[in-house]
Amino acid sequence: MGNSDLRDLAAIEEVPFDDLAGDVVGVDAHNWLYRYLTTTVRWTNDQAYTTAEGTEVANLIGVVQGLPKFFEHDVTPVFVFDGGPSELKQAEIEKRREARSDREEQLEEAKEQGDTVETARLDSQTQRLTDTIHRTTRELLRRLDVPVVEAPAEGEAQAAHMARQGAIDAVGTEDYDALLFGAPVTLRQLTSKGDPERMDFQATLDRHDLTWEQLVDVGILCGTDFNDGVTGIGPKTAVTAIKEHGDLWGVLEARDAYVENADTVRTLFLDPTVTDEYEFDTALDPDLTAAREYVTEEWGVAAAEVERGFERIEESVTQAGLDRWT
């Protein structure tokens, strides 16, 4: 989910959500959706989002509850979905799969013991973005007229590319790796109750007197989703070492260390697989009737769980300051 060591280096400040009015934010869809999915599952009765056939669509509750925060502050979200993961990320995916398998065993034990609190906690941690969740999320976003961009590979990389082109104002994700992908501005905490955090790429480089390439080298030394870091090197040590030896290769030679696939990892951040074949309209015109019917009638989600969310969306579309919306 991104290298949290980078937080110690990044130029981050909290900003009032109101300061983002008029902005277009490229949301790392998988990251955002997973957070709302796990929260919904933990705090909502599973009967509220489970169809008669046993299909769970807690994502539909999460989307309806999560979108109003954007709309109420005149922020247009553009959801950027991952394409296929890189081969290097398969190792990280496998680690997560194994960890989830362990939690699933613990979940069954908690259910057998009747521990409702532990069951809810573990149930939220064993969620996965199924094909049904992907499909129904896209269908709901379409009815709400929320733009979607399909990335050829990493959604975070695609969003960073769009931000560097000026097509969007910021990338929305909890992952610090957005910094390594060169996103000029990253907004974190978009799924939290308070104001978001603003992570500034250029300010981070300036703070440590690093180039983009050197920042990526720092990340690789600490470890990313695509590689293990070098033992004994944390973020501050990595910066010092890079500035002393110039780049990743100089540090590795000086320490007689090795990072597997270092060239490939470096390229993944500095020259990722992205596309310019995308377009979207920020003049949103949500069909709330169709969206409500899709969620509550077609998929049988409890109306009480989503009605307030739909009301907030409807109110935000017509409130003062959103006249750029149709």
Side-chain angles (χ1 to χ4, degrees):
M1 300 297 286
N3 181 9
S4 59
D5 280 345
L6 290 173
R7 183 176 181 85
D8 292 340
L9 305 177
I12 298 177
E13 62 177 351
E14 187 174 286
V15 294
F17 225 124
D18 289 341
D19 286 1
L20 305 178
D23 282 0
V24 178
V25 177
V27 178
D28 180 353
H30 288 203
N31 181 278
W32 185 91
L33 183 59
Y34 184 77
R35 287 178 177 272
Y36 271 108
L37 177 65
T38 54
T39 300
T40 300
V41 168
R42 184 167 186 177
W43 303 110
T44 308
N45 188 313
D46 60 5
Q47 294 179 346
Y49 55 77
T50 305
T51 68
E53 294 74 27
T55 303
E56 295 187 354
V57 284
N59 57 302
L60 298 182
I61 295 177
V63 170
V64 176
Q65 291 180 342
L67 284 177
K69 187 169 185 179
F70 293 106
F71 299 161
E72 289 167 349
H73 293 90
D74 191 18
V75 173
T76 301
V78 176
F79 280 79
V80 185
F81 284 85
D82 286 353
S86 70
E87 292 183 6
L88 289 180
K89 199 167 185 177
Q90 291 295 343
E92 176 65 21
I93 292 174
E94 185 57 35
K95 288 180 183 177
R96 296 174 187 174
R97 185 178 294 118
E98 291 175 358
R100 185 169 57 225
S101 178
D102 290 341
R103 288 193 293 269
E104 286 173 346
E105 293 180 6
Q106 297 171 21
L107 173 61
E108 292 306 313
E109 293 178 3
K111 288 180 178 179
E112 291 176 2
Q113 296 172 3
D115 188 337
T116 56
V117 174
E118 186 68 359
T119 294
R121 185 183 72 82
L122 290 168
D123 197 16
S124 70
Q125 294 180 357
T126 54
Q127 293 303 300
R128 61 191 74 195
L129 301 181
T130 64
D131 290 342
T132 297
I133 286 175
H134 278 291
R135 176 168 55 85
T136 56
T137 296
R138 286 170 169 83
E139 283 296 310
L140 178 55
L141 291 175
R142 182 176 65 81
R143 287 164 172 78
L144 291 170
D145 202 30
V146 174
V148 168
V149 170
E150 301 291 348
E154 296 287 329
E156 200 174 13
Q158 178 65 34
H161 173 69
M162 293 162 61
R164 293 184 71 82
Q165 287 187 317
I168 58 177
D169 297 295
V171 174
T173 182
E174 298 305 303
D175 284 2
Y176 294 97
D177 275 353
L179 202 60
L180 303 185
F181 282 118
V185 174
T186 301
L187 296 174
R188 303 185 65 260
Q189 307 293 347
L190 292 177
T191 59
S192 302
K193 290 184 178 180
D195 287 323
E197 292 181 339
R198 184 182 190 275
M199 184 164 63
D200 189 298
F201 173 71
Q202 189 58 51
T204 300
L205 297 183
D206 293 344
R207 174 181 292 179
H208 303 287
D209 192 23
L210 296 172
T211 65
W212 183 6
E213 292 81 1
Q214 288 176 321
L215 180 64
V216 169
D217 289 348
V218 167
I220 292 173
L221 287 172
C222 295
T224 72
D225 277 354
F226 307 102
N227 74 282
D228 292 328
V230 175
T231 301
I233 294 186
K236 294 180 181 179
T237 301
V239 169
T240 300
I242 288 294
K243 293 178 75 170
E244 179 181 355
H245 299 288
D247 59 17
L248 175 65
W249 320 118
V251 175
L252 294 179
E253 181 178 359
R255 287 177 169 258
D256 193 23
Y258 174 72
V259 173
E260 188 174 3
N261 298 311
D263 275 325
T264 304
V265 175
R266 208 170 189 257
T267 300
L268 277 169
F269 285 117
L270 295 172
D271 188 22
T273 300
V274 295
T275 182
D276 291 322
E277 299 298 318
Y278 62 85
E279 58 181 27
F280 52 84
D281 188 353
T282 59
L284 308 188
D285 185 15
D287 188 338
L288 291 170
T289 299
R292 279 189 177 97
E293 290 176 351
Y294 183 72
V295 172
T296 62
E297 296 180 20
E298 188 167 340
W299 284 98
V301 172
E305 298 293 339
V306 293
E307 187 52 36
R308 181 53 189 151
F310 279 125
E311 288 175 355
R312 289 173 63 195
I313 293 173
E314 187 168 18
E315 291 166 0
S316 66
V317 170
T318 57
Q319 75 180 36
L322 293 186
D323 55 0
R324 67 189 179 91
W325 287 20
T326 57

